[in-house]
Amino acid sequence: MELLKIIILALIVNNVVLAQFLGICPFLGVSNKVSTSIGMGGAVIFVMALANLVTYLLYNFLLVPLHIEFMQTITFIFIIAFLVQIVEIILKKSAPALYQALGIYLPLITTNCAVLGIAILAIQKDYNLIYSVIYSSSTAVGFTLALILIAGIREQMELSNIPKGMKGFPISLVTAGLLSLAFMGFSGMV
């Protein structure tokens, strides 16, 4: 039951983008097409889950025993950067079209504050290894869900008659705000 609660909270109630406002840069930058959003979401899911696994192990079996917990943030940043480079190499070899479509946004996962933030939050919440990986994976799926939702809405808005002053980012920010309010409705669920 505890795992289900963690999943629902991370996926919907405390959505990393719509409730905690982490990862806004890729949320607004990659959400022009659903196909690109799915690719970016997949990369974030992989990186966030793997980064959380590695950072958990490193924190608990290296930083804590050596009493250098203050090195947590810089260590996590290096690990995330390394994992993003691995994902970039894999995508370049296995899915060149997706690699080209993601363009500059793939290296931005390195600076995506959601990846670093969730790794730090999992440590602060004192989750064990399994809960930590499930929490980060659920959070990444929630990020992907929000990304796909906004991309679908933005694709539909391209067909709509939107006033000139609201086209582009202004209407995207309004839409993101409305999505955030809609997700707040789930807060009484758990």
Side-chain angles (χ1 to χ4, degrees):
M1 190 63 172
E2 184 69 25
L3 284 176
L4 184 62
K5 183 179 176 184
I6 289 172
I7 292 169
I8 291 172
L9 282 171
L11 186 67
I12 299 171
V13 178
N14 293 328
N15 187 285
V16 70
V17 176
L18 301 173
Q20 298 177 3
F21 305 110
L22 296 172
I24 297 294
C25 180
F27 177 69
L28 293 173
V30 183
S31 62
N32 292 329
K33 295 181 182 177
V34 173
S35 59
T36 308
S37 297
I38 291 170
M40 178 67 162
V44 168
I45 290 170
F46 179 74
V47 168
M48 199 178 283
L50 192 59
N52 202 279
L53 174 70
V54 174
T55 56
Y56 177 89
L57 293 172
L58 192 70
Y59 181 81
N60 286 300
F61 295 111
L62 184 67
L63 298 181
V64 171
L66 295 175
H67 303 292
I68 54 171
E69 295 93 348
F70 62 90
M71 296 290 291
Q72 167 186 338
T73 304
I74 192 73
T75 306
F76 287 9
I77 289 170
F78 283 130
I79 289 169
I80 292 165
F82 175 73
L83 292 173
V84 168
Q85 290 302 312
I86 290 173
V87 170
E88 192 170 0
I89 290 168
I90 291 170
L91 278 180
K92 196 173 190 178
K93 299 273 187 209
S94 65
L98 179 59
Y99 176 77
Q100 287 294 331
L102 290 174
I104 188 67
Y105 296 106
L106 189 59
L108 282 180
I109 295 176
T110 304
T111 59
N112 185 348
C113 59
V115 178
L116 177 62
I118 296 307
I120 292 172
L121 282 173
I123 298 291
Q124 288 176 350
K125 291 177 186 261
D126 202 26
Y127 287 147
N128 64 26
L129 181 61
I130 294 170
Y131 282 22
S132 180
V133 172
I134 288 173
Y135 171 69
S136 64
S137 300
S138 300
T139 301
V141 171
F143 176 85
T144 304
L145 173 68
L147 202 61
I148 292 169
L149 283 173
I150 194 83
I153 293 169
R154 286 178 79 176
E155 281 184 358
Q156 289 297 314
M157 285 191 301
E158 290 294 322
L159 305 173
S160 302
N161 188 16
I162 298 171
K164 187 177 181 180
M166 288 297 289
K167 285 191 178 200
F169 279 118
I171 195 69
S172 296
L173 290 173
V174 170
T175 304
L178 292 173
L179 269 176
S180 180
L181 286 172
F183 271 64
M184 280 178 54
F186 295 112
S187 62
M189 227 170 97
V190 180

